[in-house]
């Protein structure tokens, strides 16, 4: 049944198996009427899927079948692959960001494509969720992609003084703590615990001028040119992480298409602040959400 505070839609907590069988906690939102679109919402780093439920519900109310989910080692997917009991900590838990793309996001794309094969399929990527699109071996299955604050997050492309705070947090706090504890505790600055390999891989990307494009071990980079669908990237003018140059750098990896990059100012949405996470606040349902939904629906 619909959750309190959401639109009048069906929502169901389910499990979606990753490509290696790992159980991913997910929520499926369905309209009460006919389904016209399939939409997959892919999370930012250290952001649980519950942040997106308002937007997912809004899309479902407009006729979309929408799936949100948590990457392994995060949110409700933080569980052992052999059981359903949440471990006490992420010590020894093996998962990198490239694993999230190769096993979790790839599987979520396949699950939605198989289940709704007759519907146009759109991909919403927030921050890392957008970055991962280019890494997917099955990204050609997607017809439209909407990026929200998705960027190549090299630290020097961040706004000042945030860039210096991030540099210090990652190098002088996060990395030493992660190596010592065996995982990155969310209380140290990210808000959510992260697997060791995921955090350290991310640090390596953030310290590299071309971000993940500089990772010589990332064979999945070869999948960027395979995406040939429509791509719109929303850049929030007050976002210190996903600045316009950082968004442009990520979009430059999609060499087979010409991505559309749109700068969104808080005044455009009648608000004083949007930032890196603010797009998904319910107050934007009649402005940012409506415009995003109309663009997604244009692919019908």
């Amino acid at each position: 049944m619909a959750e309190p505070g959401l639109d009048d839609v069906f929502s169901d907590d389910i499990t979606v198996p990753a490509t290696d069988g790992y159980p991913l906690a997910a929520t499926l939102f369905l309209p009460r009427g006919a389904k016209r679109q399939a939409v997959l919402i892919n999370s930012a780093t250290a952001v649980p899927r519950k942040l997106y439920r308002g937007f997912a519900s809004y899309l479902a109310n407009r006729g979309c079948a929408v799936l949100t989910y948590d990457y392994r080692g995060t949110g409700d997917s933080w569980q052992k692959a052999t059981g359903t009991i949440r471990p006490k900590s992420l010590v020894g838990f093996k998962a990198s960001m490239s694993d999230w793309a190769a096993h979790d996001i790839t599987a979520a794309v396949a699950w939605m494509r198989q289940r709704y094969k007759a519907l146009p399929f759109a991909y919403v990527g927030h921050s890392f969720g957008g970055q991962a699109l280019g890494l997917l071996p099955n990204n050609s299955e997607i017809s439209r992609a909407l990026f929200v604050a998705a960027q190549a997050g090299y630290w020097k492309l961040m706004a000042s003084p945030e860039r210096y705070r991030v540099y210090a947090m990652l190098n002088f706090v996060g990395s030493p703590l992660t190596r010592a504890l065996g995982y990155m505790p969310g209380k140290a600055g990210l808000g959510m615990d992260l697997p060791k390999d995921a955090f350290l891989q991310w640090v390596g990307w953030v310290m590299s001028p071309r971000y993940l494009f500089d990772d010589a071990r990332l064979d999945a980079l070869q999948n960027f040119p395979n995406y040939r669908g429509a791509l719109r990237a929303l850049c929030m003018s007050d976002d210190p992480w996903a600045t316009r140059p950082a968004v442009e750098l990520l979009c430059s990896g999609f060499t087979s298409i010409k991505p559309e990059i749109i700068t969104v100012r808080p005044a455009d949405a009648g608000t004083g602040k949007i930032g890196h996470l603010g797009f998904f606040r319910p107050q934007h349902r009649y402005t940012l959400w409506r415009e995003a939904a109309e663009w997604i629906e244009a692919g019908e």
Side-chain angles (χ1 to χ4, degrees):
M1 299 296 294
E3 299 178 46
L6 298 184
D7 288 286
D8 186 22
V9 302
F10 292 104
S11 67
D12 190 18
D13 290 334
I14 62 174
T15 299
V16 173
T19 60
D20 58 355
Y22 188 91
L24 302 174
T27 303
L28 183 64
F29 299 82
L30 296 174
R32 294 187 180 273
K35 295 181 285 292
R36 303 195 309 271
Q37 298 267 157
V39 181
L40 178 66
I41 298 180
N42 306 273
S43 306
T45 303
V47 174
R49 75 186 190 281
K50 65 183 179 181
L51 176 74
Y52 309 103
R53 66 179 184 174
F55 184 55
S57 175
Y58 173 79
L59 293 176
N61 194 51
R62 294 178 63 111
C64 299
V66 187
L67 184 74
T68 63
Y69 63 104
D70 293 323
Y71 307 134
R72 65 186 64 202
T74 72
D76 293 329
S77 292
W78 181 16
Q79 55 188 323
K80 296 180 180 179
T82 56
T84 58
I85 300 175
R86 176 172 170 154
K88 293 183 179 180
S89 80
L90 284 168
V91 174
F93 189 95
K94 299 296 183 182
S96 65
M97 296 184 82
S98 52
D99 288 335
W100 291 344
H103 298 303
D104 302 352
I105 305 178
T106 296
V109 168
W111 191 90
M112 287 293 281
R113 184 69 293 178
Q114 181 178 16
R115 191 178 185 92
Y116 302 107
K117 56 183 66 176
L119 300 180
F121 184 24
Y123 179 106
V124 176
H126 180 208
S127 198
F128 171 74
Q131 299 163 19
L133 174 65
L135 303 175
L136 306 182
N138 57 351
N139 60 22
S140 61
E141 297 289 331
I142 299 157
S143 56
R144 293 175 85 75
L146 177 71
F147 286 0
V148 178
Q151 81 288 30
Y154 175 45
W155 74 276
K156 286 188 177 181
L157 293 180
M158 297 179 187
S160 181
E162 179 69 1
R163 69 176 68 165
Y164 302 110
R165 187 195 71 82
V166 170
Y167 183 91
M169 188 273 287
L170 296 186
N171 290 285
F172 304 139
V173 178
S175 293
L177 203 57
T178 298
R179 291 190 171 94
L181 297 179
Y183 73 102
M184 171 59 178
K187 293 180 180 179
L190 291 179
M192 179 192 290
D193 294 354
L194 288 180
K196 175 182 177 180
D197 293 344
F199 179 76
L200 293 180
Q201 184 177 41
W202 180 52
V203 172
W205 291 352
V206 172
M207 293 301 120
S208 300
R210 288 183 52 77
Y211 194 62
L212 82 175
F213 297 118
D214 282 339
D215 191 342
R217 297 171 297 178
L218 194 58
D219 293 338
L221 288 170
Q222 65 185 354
N223 295 322
F224 265 83
N226 296 337
Y227 181 70
R228 298 178 181 275
L231 172 54
R232 171 176 283 190
L234 302 182
C235 172
M236 313 308 160
S237 65
D238 65 333
D239 183 352
W241 287 52
T243 60
R244 179 83 186 204
V247 173
E248 290 175 349
L249 178 55
L250 175 63
C251 289
S252 71
F254 295 93
T255 54
S256 297
I257 59 173
K258 292 184 178 180
E260 177 188 21
I261 303 175
I262 297 178
T263 297
V264 179
R265 296 169 178 80
D268 299 336
T271 188
K273 181 180 180 181
I274 302 176
H276 197 60
L277 302 175
F279 174 92
F280 297 98
R281 296 192 189 106
Q283 71 189 71
H284 299 311
R285 65 182 294 119
Y286 299 113
T287 54
L288 302 180
W289 288 11
R290 182 172 61 192
E291 292 174 7
E294 289 173 351
W295 184 82
I296 290 172
E297 292 162 1
E300 292 185 8

